[in-house]
Amino acid sequence: MPKNGLNVSLNSYDDIFSTEEARQEEQREQVQQISIEELHPFKDHPFKVLDDEAMQHTVESIKLLGVTNPLIARPRPEGGYEIISGHRRQHAAQLAGLKALPVIVRQMDDDAAVLLMVDSNLQREQILPSERAFAYKMKLDALKRQGARSDLTSTQVAQKLSVEKVGEDAGVSKDTIRRFIRLTNLIPELLDMVDEKKISFNPAVELSYLDENQQRDFLEAMSDTQNSPSLSQAQRLKKLAQKGHFSYDVAFAVMGEPKKDELDKVVIKNDTLRKYFPESSTPREMEEKIIGLLEESKAEKIVFRSDALKKYFPSSYSSKQIEDSIIKLLDQRLKKRKHEAER
């Protein structure tokens, strides 16, 4: 009588006698050498990769020692790998001429990848306000989605806890996190000015409440007055916008007002002055030329503190009267030049 066939699977000798340490080692993430061409930036990566002095130092270090800290990436459905941590190292390695990099490949969903990407980059010493703003926003959105998936009945509670979590991880208050995230509402030109320290953080937060058109009007007014906004000016503009009273003229008037920590100054719109000067003239050059004309034409002067213009006019003169006098003087100069040219 034939015996029934038995399908018995036996463990190999190595499986039976392998140590627990060896089995754990097999499960650990392995560092792989991956071609630079297969590595792609994280979608909507908020951190800037700049070719600055710090980048050059990184390039020189990589030329000498190689990339000692592996990147972290995840597979992309369309092929290749998406960098989660290591964008600056990847760029520096390209500049150094490397063809492949050490990478830990990790399977991660979108939200987990965002959290790791943000946290790994926020450890850097030098981070721009715009980078923090978008990084905090991305992390908060990811935490909100995770909270909503785990408890659909308490979304508001999850959102509140998410803000506190972002603040706790960053070592700042939840209000600071919210204020940084407000900066993401600024138009790119204004946000760049925050990064360049042409606009301070607190005024920038207030300006973020203006809509896009209002922000562009403000940007033009700021350029024409050649003033950066104080906190009180930005707060006033925000209130005026909320009441429906915002316009370019309003912004120009507010930005042209003297700040508490400054001496009085006379503000003349760029387009008013430009026709009297070559296009290449800087504001400083125009000011010096006007001062020179005043020196040439003055009969009697009243000294007014250290202000560059007011010392040439009576103390009772308003900014408008001073502006009119200067324009009249410039018109006379222009007519004189035309007359001389015709002779």
Side-chain angles (χ1 to χ4, degrees):
M1 182 175 179
K3 296 181 179 179
N4 292 332
L6 297 177
N7 185 10
V8 179
S9 176
L10 298 177
N11 291 331
S12 69
Y13 178 88
D14 289 338
D15 288 337
I16 295 173
F17 294 99
S18 63
T19 64
E20 177 63 23
E21 181 181 356
R23 287 192 290 272
Q24 290 180 1
E25 179 64 28
E26 290 178 359
Q27 295 175 359
R28 290 194 186 105
E29 294 175 317
Q30 300 296 315
V31 177
Q32 306 177 34
Q33 288 293 326
I34 293 179
S35 169
I36 285 185
E37 296 179 354
E38 292 188 79
L39 297 170
H40 303 274
F42 196 91
K43 182 181 179 182
D44 298 327
H45 188 260
F47 298 95
K48 298 178 180 179
V49 179
L50 304 174
D51 287 321
D52 53 13
E53 185 178 352
M55 177 60 68
Q56 189 56 42
H57 288 323
T58 304
V59 172
E60 295 302 323
S61 175
I62 288 176
K63 286 181 179 179
L64 184 64
L65 302 173
V67 177
T68 57
N69 187 19
L71 284 69
I72 299 176
R74 63 173 181 166
R76 300 197 316 164
E78 61 271 37
Y81 302 87
E82 183 179 45
I83 301 172
I84 297 173
S85 174
H87 291 80
R88 297 185 75 257
R89 278 168 282 162
Q90 187 254 6
H91 182 65
Q94 281 183 316
L95 296 177
L98 272 62
K99 302 299 181 183
L101 294 178
V103 180
I104 294 174
V105 177
R106 187 176 296 176
Q107 296 287 347
M108 304 183 74
D109 64 28
D110 290 344
D111 291 336
V114 165
L115 296 178
L116 178 57
M117 181 273 296
V118 169
D119 287 343
S120 63
N121 279 279
L122 285 177
Q123 295 174 6
R124 286 165 34 205
E125 292 183 5
Q126 300 295 330
I127 301 177
L128 297 171
S130 64
E131 294 176 320
R132 287 192 184 277
F134 283 101
Y136 289 156
K137 185 176 188 303
M138 290 180 72
K139 182 171 182 176
L140 179 61
D141 289 343
L143 289 173
K144 285 179 179 179
R145 288 191 294 268
Q146 287 185 339
R149 287 197 300 267
S150 62
D151 185 359
L152 297 177
T153 64
S154 59
T155 301
Q156 291 182 342
V157 174
Q159 290 179 1
K160 178 180 178 181
L161 294 176
S162 297
V163 176
E164 293 175 348
K165 171 65 175 171
V166 176
E168 180 182 337
D169 291 346
V172 297
S173 70
K174 60 180 182 293
D175 288 336
T176 298
I177 296 298
R178 290 192 178 101
R179 289 173 66 77
F180 264 106
I181 291 176
R182 282 297 321 172
L183 297 184
T184 63
N185 294 288
L186 290 174
I187 60 176
E189 295 90 335
L190 290 180
L191 190 54
D192 286 342
M193 288 184 174
V194 180
D195 285 343
E196 296 163 3
K197 299 182 179 180
K198 295 178 180 178
I199 299 178
S200 299
F201 175 76
N202 288 328
V205 172
E206 302 301 317
L207 295 173
S208 72
Y209 289 90
L210 306 181
D211 64 33
E212 181 177 349
N213 291 333
Q214 291 169 341
Q215 287 186 40
R216 296 204 175 279
D217 283 342
F218 165 79
L219 183 63
E220 184 178 355
M222 180 179 171
S223 174
D224 288 343
T225 59
Q226 299 171 30
N227 277 332
S228 58
S230 66
L231 177 58
S232 62
Q233 286 173 323
Q235 289 172 333
R236 286 179 59 197
L237 291 172
K238 173 186 171 183
K239 290 180 180 178
L240 288 166
Q242 290 173 336
K243 294 178 180 179
H245 300 319
F246 188 95
S247 67
Y248 163 80
D249 290 334
V250 168
F252 182 87
V254 171
M255 291 302 297
E257 293 174 353
K259 300 183 179 69
K260 293 180 180 179
D261 58 347
E262 294 181 348
L263 294 176
D264 290 344
K265 66 169 66 173
V266 175
V267 178
I268 306 176
K269 295 181 181 180
N270 274 338
D271 55 3
T272 303
L273 288 178
R274 281 294 173 191
K275 64 180 179 180
Y276 301 105
F277 297 91
E279 292 184 2
S280 59
S281 296
T282 65
R284 180 63 179 172
E285 290 171 338
M286 290 190 287
E287 177 185 347
E288 290 175 350
K289 190 63 179 179
I290 292 172
I291 296 301
L293 288 171
L294 291 169
E295 287 284 0
E296 293 173 3
S297 63
K298 72 178 187 293
E300 180 181 0
K301 69 176 182 180
I302 300 175
V303 179
F304 234 68
R305 292 185 271 182
S306 61
D307 190 279
L309 291 178
K310 282 200 170 181
K311 65 181 180 179
Y312 299 101
F313 300 92
S315 60
S316 60
Y317 266 37
S318 66
S319 294
K320 179 61 176 172
Q321 288 174 308
I322 295 175
E323 178 182 348
D324 290 342
S325 298
I326 292 173
I327 297 304
K328 182 178 180 180
L329 180 63
L330 290 170
D331 276 329
Q332 291 172 349
R333 175 172 172 255
L334 189 61
K335 290 177 182 178
K336 181 179 179 181
R337 283 186 174 181
K338 288 181 178 180
H339 180 69
E340 291 175 349
E342 292 172 353
R343 290 176 62 181

mmCIF file of all heavy atoms in Angstrom, residues 105-132:
data_model
loop_
_atom_site.group_PDB
_atom_site.id
_atom_site.type_symbol
_atom_site.label_atom_id
_atom_site.label_comp_id
_atom_site.label_asym_id
_atom_site.label_seq_id
_atom_site.Cartn_x
_atom_site.Cartn_y
_atom_site.Cartn_z
ATOM 1 N N VAL A 105 17.245 53.235 2.740
ATOM 2 C CA VAL A 105 15.949 53.224 2.068
ATOM 3 C C VAL A 105 14.904 52.741 3.059
ATOM 4 O O VAL A 105 15.039 51.679 3.671
ATOM 5 C CB VAL A 105 15.970 52.311 0.825
ATOM 6 C CG1 VAL A 105 14.586 52.266 0.182
ATOM 7 C CG2 VAL A 105 17.003 52.813 -0.176
ATOM 8 N N ARG A 106 13.860 53.542 3.224
ATOM 9 C CA ARG A 106 12.845 53.244 4.237
ATOM 10 C C ARG A 106 11.456 53.372 3.617
ATOM 11 O O ARG A 106 11.170 54.338 2.914
ATOM 12 C CB ARG A 106 13.005 54.222 5.403
ATOM 13 C CG ARG A 106 12.137 53.937 6.605
ATOM 14 C CD ARG A 106 12.460 54.920 7.734
ATOM 15 N NE ARG A 106 13.829 54.760 8.209
ATOM 16 C CZ ARG A 106 14.398 55.543 9.128
ATOM 17 N NH1 ARG A 106 13.705 56.544 9.653
ATOM 18 N NH2 ARG A 106 15.638 55.337 9.508
ATOM 19 N N GLN A 107 10.626 52.405 3.879
ATOM 20 C CA GLN A 107 9.229 52.457 3.428
ATOM 21 C C GLN A 107 8.443 53.329 4.403
ATOM 22 O O GLN A 107 8.341 53.013 5.582
ATOM 23 C CB GLN A 107 8.626 51.049 3.377
ATOM 24 C CG GLN A 107 9.274 50.109 2.368
ATOM 25 C CD GLN A 107 8.899 50.459 0.935
ATOM 26 O OE1 GLN A 107 7.976 51.238 0.687
ATOM 27 N NE2 GLN A 107 9.614 49.884 -0.027
ATOM 28 N N MET A 108 7.891 54.443 3.907
ATOM 29 C CA MET A 108 7.158 55.360 4.770
ATOM 30 C C MET A 108 5.969 55.936 4.021
ATOM 31 O O MET A 108 6.053 56.193 2.814
ATOM 32 C CB MET A 108 8.058 56.518 5.228
ATOM 33 C CG MET A 108 9.342 56.102 5.924
ATOM 34 S SD MET A 108 10.311 57.532 6.497
ATOM 35 C CE MET A 108 9.325 58.032 7.904
ATOM 36 N N ASP A 109 4.853 56.154 4.739
ATOM 37 C CA ASP A 109 3.720 56.828 4.102
ATOM 38 C C ASP A 109 3.990 58.329 4.060
ATOM 39 O O ASP A 109 4.981 58.819 4.606
ATOM 40 C CB ASP A 109 2.402 56.503 4.821
ATOM 41 C CG ASP A 109 2.351 57.008 6.262
ATOM 42 O OD1 ASP A 109 3.023 58.029 6.571
ATOM 43 O OD2 ASP A 109 1.646 56.412 7.091
ATOM 44 N N ASP A 110 3.115 59.068 3.403
ATOM 45 C CA ASP A 110 3.367 60.490 3.171
ATOM 46 C C ASP A 110 3.529 61.282 4.466
ATOM 47 O O ASP A 110 4.457 62.084 4.609
ATOM 48 C CB ASP A 110 2.230 61.095 2.341
ATOM 49 C CG ASP A 110 2.234 60.593 0.908
ATOM 50 O OD1 ASP A 110 3.264 60.029 0.482
ATOM 51 O OD2 ASP A 110 1.203 60.751 0.222
ATOM 52 N N ASP A 111 2.627 61.079 5.417
ATOM 53 C CA ASP A 111 2.664 61.864 6.645
ATOM 54 C C ASP A 111 3.893 61.540 7.487
ATOM 55 O O ASP A 111 4.542 62.437 8.035
ATOM 56 C CB ASP A 111 1.395 61.625 7.467
ATOM 57 C CG ASP A 111 0.165 62.221 6.793
ATOM 58 O OD1 ASP A 111 0.331 63.167 6.000
ATOM 59 O OD2 ASP A 111 -0.952 61.732 7.046
ATOM 60 N N ALA A 112 4.236 60.267 7.588
ATOM 61 C CA ALA A 112 5.438 59.885 8.343
ATOM 62 C C ALA A 112 6.683 60.468 7.690
ATOM 63 O O ALA A 112 7.607 60.916 8.376
ATOM 64 C CB ALA A 112 5.538 58.366 8.426
ATOM 65 N N ALA A 113 6.705 60.487 6.365
ATOM 66 C CA ALA A 113 7.842 61.052 5.641
ATOM 67 C C ALA A 113 7.950 62.551 5.887
ATOM 68 O O ALA A 113 9.047 63.085 6.074
ATOM 69 C CB ALA A 113 7.704 60.760 4.149
ATOM 70 N N VAL A 114 6.819 63.261 5.896
ATOM 71 C CA VAL A 114 6.821 64.702 6.165
ATOM 72 C C VAL A 114 7.384 64.979 7.559
ATOM 73 O O VAL A 114 8.233 65.865 7.739
ATOM 74 C CB VAL A 114 5.404 65.295 6.042
ATOM 75 C CG1 VAL A 114 5.335 66.685 6.664
ATOM 76 C CG2 VAL A 114 4.984 65.369 4.577
ATOM 77 N N LEU A 115 6.933 64.233 8.539
ATOM 78 C CA LEU A 115 7.376 64.456 9.913
ATOM 79 C C LEU A 115 8.876 64.253 10.050
ATOM 80 O O LEU A 115 9.574 65.045 10.694
ATOM 81 C CB LEU A 115 6.621 63.529 10.872
ATOM 82 C CG LEU A 115 5.111 63.751 10.965
ATOM 83 C CD1 LEU A 115 4.473 62.746 11.915
ATOM 84 C CD2 LEU A 115 4.796 65.173 11.419
ATOM 85 N N LEU A 116 9.398 63.197 9.442
ATOM 86 C CA LEU A 116 10.835 62.937 9.520
ATOM 87 C C LEU A 116 11.618 64.001 8.753
ATOM 88 O O LEU A 116 12.664 64.477 9.217
ATOM 89 C CB LEU A 116 11.149 61.549 8.971
ATOM 90 C CG LEU A 116 12.642 61.163 8.959
ATOM 91 C CD1 LEU A 116 13.231 61.248 10.366
ATOM 92 C CD2 LEU A 116 12.826 59.756 8.395
ATOM 93 N N MET A 117 11.119 64.374 7.585
ATOM 94 C CA MET A 117 11.793 65.386 6.774
ATOM 95 C C MET A 117 11.902 66.711 7.522
ATOM 96 O O MET A 117 12.957 67.334 7.581
ATOM 97 C CB MET A 117 11.041 65.577 5.454
ATOM 98 C CG MET A 117 11.665 66.592 4.493
ATOM 99 S SD MET A 117 11.111 68.297 4.796
ATOM 100 C CE MET A 117 9.364 68.150 4.427
ATOM 101 N N VAL A 118 10.801 67.145 8.142
ATOM 102 C CA VAL A 118 10.788 68.419 8.868
ATOM 103 C C VAL A 118 11.704 68.353 10.086
ATOM 104 O O VAL A 118 12.546 69.228 10.305
ATOM 105 C CB VAL A 118 9.356 68.783 9.284
ATOM 106 C CG1 VAL A 118 9.372 69.955 10.270
ATOM 107 C CG2 VAL A 118 8.519 69.143 8.062
ATOM 108 N N ASP A 119 11.544 67.315 10.898
ATOM 109 C CA ASP A 119 12.314 67.226 12.140
ATOM 110 C C ASP A 119 13.815 67.128 11.875
ATOM 111 O O ASP A 119 14.621 67.710 12.606
ATOM 112 C CB ASP A 119 11.853 66.024 12.965
ATOM 113 C CG ASP A 119 10.485 66.251 13.597
ATOM 114 O OD1 ASP A 119 10.058 67.415 13.668
ATOM 115 O OD2 ASP A 119 9.839 65.265 14.002
ATOM 116 N N SER A 120 14.199 66.402 10.845
ATOM 117 C CA SER A 120 15.625 66.254 10.557
ATOM 118 C C SER A 120 16.237 67.567 10.087
ATOM 119 O O SER A 120 17.408 67.863 10.372
ATOM 120 C CB SER A 120 15.848 65.157 9.511
ATOM 121 O OG SER A 120 15.233 65.492 8.279
ATOM 122 N N ASN A 121 15.462 68.398 9.380
ATOM 123 C CA ASN A 121 15.990 69.667 8.881
ATOM 124 C C ASN A 121 15.948 70.773 9.927
ATOM 125 O O ASN A 121 16.780 71.681 9.909
ATOM 126 C CB ASN A 121 15.209 70.111 7.640
ATOM 127 C CG ASN A 121 15.683 69.410 6.379
ATOM 128 O OD1 ASN A 121 16.676 69.782 5.769
ATOM 129 N ND2 ASN A 121 14.967 68.358 5.991
ATOM 130 N N LEU A 122 14.979 70.715 10.840
ATOM 131 C CA LEU A 122 14.879 71.754 11.867
ATOM 132 C C LEU A 122 16.018 71.686 12.882
ATOM 133 O O LEU A 122 16.160 72.570 13.715
ATOM 134 C CB LEU A 122 13.539 71.651 12.598
ATOM 135 C CG LEU A 122 12.317 72.155 11.824
ATOM 136 C CD1 LEU A 122 11.043 71.921 12.622
ATOM 137 C CD2 LEU A 122 12.462 73.639 11.480
ATOM 138 N N GLN A 123 16.824 70.654 12.806
ATOM 139 C CA GLN A 123 17.973 70.534 13.707
ATOM 140 C C GLN A 123 19.134 71.416 13.263
ATOM 141 O O GLN A 123 20.096 71.605 14.012
ATOM 142 C CB GLN A 123 18.426 69.070 13.787
ATOM 143 C CG GLN A 123 17.397 68.144 14.404
ATOM 144 C CD GLN A 123 17.816 66.686 14.347
ATOM 145 O OE1 GLN A 123 18.927 66.366 13.935
ATOM 146 N NE2 GLN A 123 16.926 65.790 14.750
ATOM 147 N N ARG A 124 19.068 71.942 12.034
ATOM 148 C CA ARG A 124 20.131 72.818 11.555
ATOM 149 C C ARG A 124 20.195 74.101 12.375
ATOM 150 O O ARG A 124 19.190 74.567 12.907
ATOM 151 C CB ARG A 124 19.894 73.175 10.086
ATOM 152 C CG ARG A 124 20.175 72.052 9.120
ATOM 153 C CD ARG A 124 19.593 72.313 7.752
ATOM 154 N NE ARG A 124 19.616 73.731 7.381
ATOM 155 C CZ ARG A 124 18.788 74.260 6.507
ATOM 156 N NH1 ARG A 124 17.841 73.521 5.938
ATOM 157 N NH2 ARG A 124 18.880 75.534 6.191
ATOM 158 N N GLU A 125 21.380 74.697 12.458
ATOM 159 C CA GLU A 125 21.559 75.916 13.247
ATOM 160 C C GLU A 125 20.954 77.133 12.553
ATOM 161 O O GLU A 125 20.321 77.967 13.186
ATOM 162 C CB GLU A 125 23.054 76.153 13.506
ATOM 163 C CG GLU A 125 23.682 75.111 14.426
ATOM 164 C CD GLU A 125 25.135 75.419 14.708
ATOM 165 O OE1 GLU A 125 25.604 76.490 14.262
ATOM 166 O OE2 GLU A 125 25.798 74.613 15.372
ATOM 167 N N GLN A 126 21.191 77.267 11.249
ATOM 168 C CA GLN A 126 20.725 78.434 10.512
ATOM 169 C C GLN A 126 19.498 78.074 9.684
ATOM 170 O O GLN A 126 19.598 77.326 8.716
ATOM 171 C CB GLN A 126 21.847 78.955 9.595
ATOM 172 C CG GLN A 126 23.113 79.364 10.333
ATOM 173 C CD GLN A 126 22.889 80.563 11.244
ATOM 174 O OE1 GLN A 126 22.045 81.416 10.975
ATOM 175 N NE2 GLN A 126 23.656 80.637 12.333
ATOM 176 N N ILE A 127 18.344 78.603 10.084
ATOM 177 C CA ILE A 127 17.099 78.318 9.370
ATOM 178 C C ILE A 127 16.379 79.639 9.122
ATOM 179 O O ILE A 127 16.179 80.436 10.053
ATOM 180 C CB ILE A 127 16.187 77.367 10.170
ATOM 181 C CG1 ILE A 127 16.916 76.054 10.453
ATOM 182 C CG2 ILE A 127 14.908 77.071 9.388
ATOM 183 C CD1 ILE A 127 16.131 75.089 11.303
ATOM 184 N N LEU A 128 15.996 79.881 7.889
ATOM 185 C CA LEU A 128 15.311 81.122 7.532
ATOM 186 C C LEU A 128 13.874 81.125 8.059
ATOM 187 O O LEU A 128 13.270 80.057 8.215
ATOM 188 C CB LEU A 128 15.300 81.297 6.018
ATOM 189 C CG LEU A 128 16.671 81.444 5.347
ATOM 190 C CD1 LEU A 128 16.517 81.391 3.826
ATOM 191 C CD2 LEU A 128 17.332 82.746 5.770
ATOM 192 N N PRO A 129 13.308 82.304 8.316
ATOM 193 C CA PRO A 129 11.905 82.373 8.765
ATOM 194 C C PRO A 129 10.947 81.671 7.798
ATOM 195 O O PRO A 129 10.013 81.001 8.236
ATOM 196 C CB PRO A 129 11.636 83.874 8.826
ATOM 197 C CG PRO A 129 12.966 84.490 9.075
ATOM 198 C CD PRO A 129 13.956 83.642 8.321
ATOM 199 N N SER A 130 11.161 81.825 6.491
ATOM 200 C CA SER A 130 10.268 81.183 5.522
ATOM 201 C C SER A 130 10.366 79.672 5.613
ATOM 202 O O SER A 130 9.360 78.959 5.438
ATOM 203 C CB SER A 130 10.612 81.633 4.095
ATOM 204 O OG SER A 130 11.913 81.204 3.719
ATOM 205 N N GLU A 131 11.566 79.161 5.885
ATOM 206 C CA GLU A 131 11.740 77.709 6.017
ATOM 207 C C GLU A 131 10.984 77.192 7.234
ATOM 208 O O GLU A 131 10.293 76.168 7.166
ATOM 209 C CB GLU A 131 13.226 77.369 6.124
ATOM 210 C CG GLU A 131 14.018 77.675 4.868
ATOM 211 C CD GLU A 131 15.502 77.413 5.019
ATOM 212 O OE1 GLU A 131 16.056 77.724 6.100
ATOM 213 O OE2 GLU A 131 16.119 76.894 4.077
ATOM 214 N N ARG A 132 11.123 77.902 8.350
ATOM 215 C CA ARG A 132 10.387 77.494 9.559
ATOM 216 C C ARG A 132 8.881 77.555 9.305
ATOM 217 O O ARG A 132 8.141 76.655 9.720
ATOM 218 C CB ARG A 132 10.737 78.415 10.726
ATOM 219 C CG ARG A 132 12.114 78.209 11.302
ATOM 220 C CD ARG A 132 12.276 78.936 12.626
ATOM 221 N NE ARG A 132 13.614 78.807 13.129
ATOM 222 C CZ ARG A 132 14.057 77.755 13.815
ATOM 223 N NH1 ARG A 132 13.227 76.744 14.072
ATOM 224 N NH2 ARG A 132 15.297 77.710 14.245
#
